[in-house]
Amino acid sequence: MITIDLLRRYDRPAPRYTSYPPAPAFGEEFTESEYRALLAQRDPRRPLALYAHLPFCDTLCYFCGCTMRVSHNRDFMRAYLESLLEEIALLREALSDTGSVVQMHWGGGTPTYYETEALLRLTEAFRAAFPFDPEAEISVEADPRGLEFEKLAALRQAGFNRISIGVQDFDPRVQEAVNRLQPYELVAQVSEWVRELGFYSLNFDLIYGLPYQTVERFARTLELVLTLRPDRLAVFRYAHVPHLRPHQRLIPSEALPSAEVSWQIFAYTVERLTAAGYVYIGMDHFALPDDALSRAQIEGTLQRNFMGYTTHADADLLAVGMSGIGELEAAYVQNTRDLSRYREMIRQGRLPVAAGYRMSFDDRLRRFVIRQLMNYGFLDKPRIEAQWGIDFDTYFADALRALTTLAEDGLLELDPDRIRVTFAGRLLIRHVARCFDVHSARLEEKGFRFSRVI
């Protein structure tokens, strides 16, 4: 049971652990030549995941925390696409060999804001550069506003089999406050097209903590969502960081729900969705029992990375586009966030590396432990000791001392050979994972601020 007092004590910042170490630990001293060397040495037997960042949108959503740009200049957007195509070629040339692509995801921005012809060109470029597994999961983020049946049909024919729709909230007052006006009927129509065209999986993104939201209002949104029965749901906590995203100052801060109300909204969401038959995967993700995400959790192939929860644990992630972050077996690499710089580096025939991180043994071990917690909610000490050649209690003595307090608060159970996160602990899993994190405190000392958990 999570009490209000407990919430107040745990209303502290923590990373979202889409990577470990967290992205702010990446350093600019990581160079393009290092990345090229890692690509050349990469084990070609490892499967690949691909990510493409298409940053353009038609309108500005005030809540947005993504690396995006509003543009109505189609020539400018086409020029960026040409840079993407060139980066794909550069990346493929840098690889000595490649395994099959088991997953590809396009994010942004709004990928479906591009013209159909441009999206098909990008698909063809990826397929020409990399071999795709016949069962690859290929997904795209979509804004239902302005999305036509013909574009969805072309994407489905090109091999896309999963689609993620930004819903956020169906309440008109909330939509107006965040400049995201889209009625239920529009989302219902797009969802019907997705089903008709045979996409395997439909995801809705929802956001709680937005202005004017209450438990009662969000409950009405959930009931509308359940009438459409998406295969997956990602229910994100709004991060109000106007010091990082100046456009968020357009949101009336006095209308934002308190931390306690936001928590009540999320707690109700977990209760309502699980009662409706959804599996709580972890953090902010839910899936129907027969969805690939639920099966991956059962089969032990669940992954958490910069694409959220995904279904392929052993794949190297290669990212193209401005701000894209890739992950190799023992390194992370991030492209420049500056659009002009990105295009200039591509013109020079350079991979647009801006930062990266080479992982030590300790980093890789802690990443494994944190992901076990985030993905499955338990740690098997003997298994970790055998796999990594350590004595768990000795190596993680500091973490175990921190975990004792969480155990006293009912967030986990500590046994000699096992650590099991309780249901309450799963809701606060970022704090459990942070006990094994040796980077975040140093980053905060340098002035970096993570988002609040509650």
Side-chain angles (χ1 to χ4, degrees):
M1 178 69 178
I2 298 182
T3 64
I4 293 299
D5 178 63
L6 193 65
L7 284 179
R8 289 171 179 159
R9 283 193 282 130
Y10 282 95
D11 184 19
R12 304 189 304 271
R16 296 185 62 82
Y17 293 112
T18 48
S19 73
Y20 181 82
F26 301 173
E28 295 181 1
E29 66 278 3
F30 186 95
T31 64
E32 178 197 2
S33 60
E34 283 187 85
Y35 186 32
R36 286 184 175 274
L38 289 169
L39 292 173
Q41 298 161 9
R42 178 186 170 275
D43 183 350
R45 294 170 297 182
R46 288 176 60 82
L48 284 176
L50 303 174
Y51 173 77
H53 191 77
L54 292 92
F56 301 106
C57 292
D58 179 56
T59 56
L60 176 65
C61 300
Y62 299 161
F63 58 79
C64 185
C66 301
T67 302
M68 55 76 65
R69 174 179 288 198
V70 173
S71 178
H72 302 119
N73 186 332
R74 291 292 176 177
D75 290 336
F76 187 67
M77 292 172 59
R78 292 187 192 105
Y80 177 81
L81 180 71
E82 295 300 325
S83 296
L84 277 183
L85 301 179
E86 292 176 34
E87 186 184 2
I88 292 169
L90 290 171
L91 198 58
R92 182 62 188 90
E93 290 171 6
L95 288 161
S96 59
D97 201 351
T98 177
S100 293
V101 174
V102 295
Q103 185 176 42
M104 180 168 72
H105 180 71
W106 294 359
T110 308
T112 54
Y113 182 42
Y114 264 92
E115 298 159 329
T116 302
E117 180 183 355
L119 297 176
L120 295 181
R121 281 191 69 203
L122 184 56
T123 305
E124 291 165 2
F126 274 121
R127 289 191 178 277
F130 302 99
F132 276 67
D133 187 289
E135 302 298 320
E137 182 181 272
I138 306 177
S139 59
V140 62
E141 295 175 12
D143 183 339
R145 299 171 299 174
L147 188 59
E148 306 103 352
F149 178 86
E150 291 74 19
K151 181 175 290 186
L152 280 175
L155 288 170
R156 183 69 189 97
Q157 187 172 5
F160 283 81
N161 48 38
R162 189 173 79 81
I163 191 164
S164 180
I165 296 177
V167 172
Q168 325 315 346
D169 194 309
F170 281 125
D171 187 281
R173 190 179 189 192
V174 176
Q175 290 186 357
E176 184 176 2
V178 299
N179 198 38
R180 178 78 180 217
L181 299 173
Q182 55 183 47
Y184 165 81
E185 292 75 16
L186 174 61
V187 176
Q189 177 63 83
V190 172
S191 300
E192 182 181 333
W193 290 342
V194 168
R195 303 292 193 201
E196 179 183 340
L197 290 166
F199 283 83
Y200 301 165
S201 184
L202 170 64
N203 177 78
F204 283 178
D205 284 347
L206 304 178
I207 298 179
Y208 67 98
L210 293 176
Y212 303 112
Q213 282 182 336
T214 64
V215 175
E216 294 74 22
R217 281 182 167 168
F218 202 73
R220 289 194 288 271
T221 284
L222 288 178
E223 295 311 309
L224 290 172
V225 164
L226 289 172
T227 66
L228 302 176
R229 197 104 178 136
D231 302 278
R232 301 180 188 178
L233 283 158
V235 188
F236 299 112
R237 171 72 161 95
Y238 169 60
H240 191 60
V241 286
H243 59 287
L244 297 177
R245 307 291 180 186
H247 60 262
Q248 291 186 349
R249 295 174 186 147
L250 297 169
I251 286 180
S253 57
E254 70 279 2
L256 293 172
S258 66
E260 291 176 10
V261 171
S262 292
W263 175 261
Q264 290 167 0
I265 291 172
F266 184 66
Y268 176 81
T269 299
V270 174
E271 178 183 354
R272 183 67 186 94
L273 292 180
T274 52
Y278 285 86
V279 176
Y280 179 42
I281 301 297
M283 280 283 291
D284 34 37
H285 282 56
F286 303 80
L288 291 174
D290 59 351
D291 186 83
L293 206 61
S294 297
R295 296 198 305 271
Q297 190 170 54
I298 293 170
E299 295 165 3
T301 59
L302 193 64
Q303 171 70 300
R304 182 160 177 81
N305 58 24
F306 289 99
M307 296 189 289
Y309 280 103
T310 68
T311 56
H312 297 283
D314 295 323
D316 288 332
L317 172 62
L318 305 181
V320 299
M322 59 179 290
S323 79
I325 301 178
E327 177 181 347
L328 300 177
E329 194 170 8
Y332 295 99
V333 59
Q334 181 169 23
N335 285 352
T336 178
R337 291 175 173 270
D338 184 271
L339 180 55
S340 297
R341 177 67 174 157
Y342 170 77
R343 294 188 58 201
E344 178 59 28
M345 292 180 76
I346 296 296
R347 276 195 293 267
Q348 295 171 358
R350 298 169 57 195
L351 292 172
V353 175
Y357 188 91
R358 275 186 177 268
M359 301 182 73
S360 66
F361 171 86
D362 181 71
D363 291 325
R364 291 169 55 223
L365 170 57
R366 291 177 185 275
R367 176 179 65 179
F368 176 82
V369 169
I370 287 171
R371 283 183 171 169
Q372 286 294 114
L373 290 167
M374 303 291 288
N375 295 343
Y376 308 110
F378 72 89
L379 297 176
D380 184 328
K381 292 185 188 179
R383 178 191 167 198
I384 293 171
E385 290 174 336
Q387 183 173 342
W388 293 87
I390 62 164
D391 179 85
F392 189 97
D393 290 354
T394 301
Y395 197 98
F396 292 116
D398 289 344
L400 289 171
R401 281 192 288 273
L403 290 173
T404 300
T405 300
L406 276 65
E408 292 170 352
D409 287 335
L411 303 188
L412 50 90
E413 296 172 354
L414 296 173
D415 296 321
D417 289 338
R418 188 179 176 93
I419 297 172
R420 189 186 74 82
V421 181
T422 64
F423 185 75
R426 293 184 68 201
L427 300 178
L428 297 170
I429 192 65
R430 290 160 66 184
H431 283 307
V432 180
R434 182 158 182 170
C435 293
F436 293 91
D437 179 352
V438 297
H439 286 276
S440 294
R442 299 170 193 164
L443 292 169
E444 288 175 330
E445 288 173 1
K446 295 177 180 179
F448 185 83
R449 287 181 279 179
F450 296 103
S451 62
R452 303 184 83 88
V453 172
I454 299 169

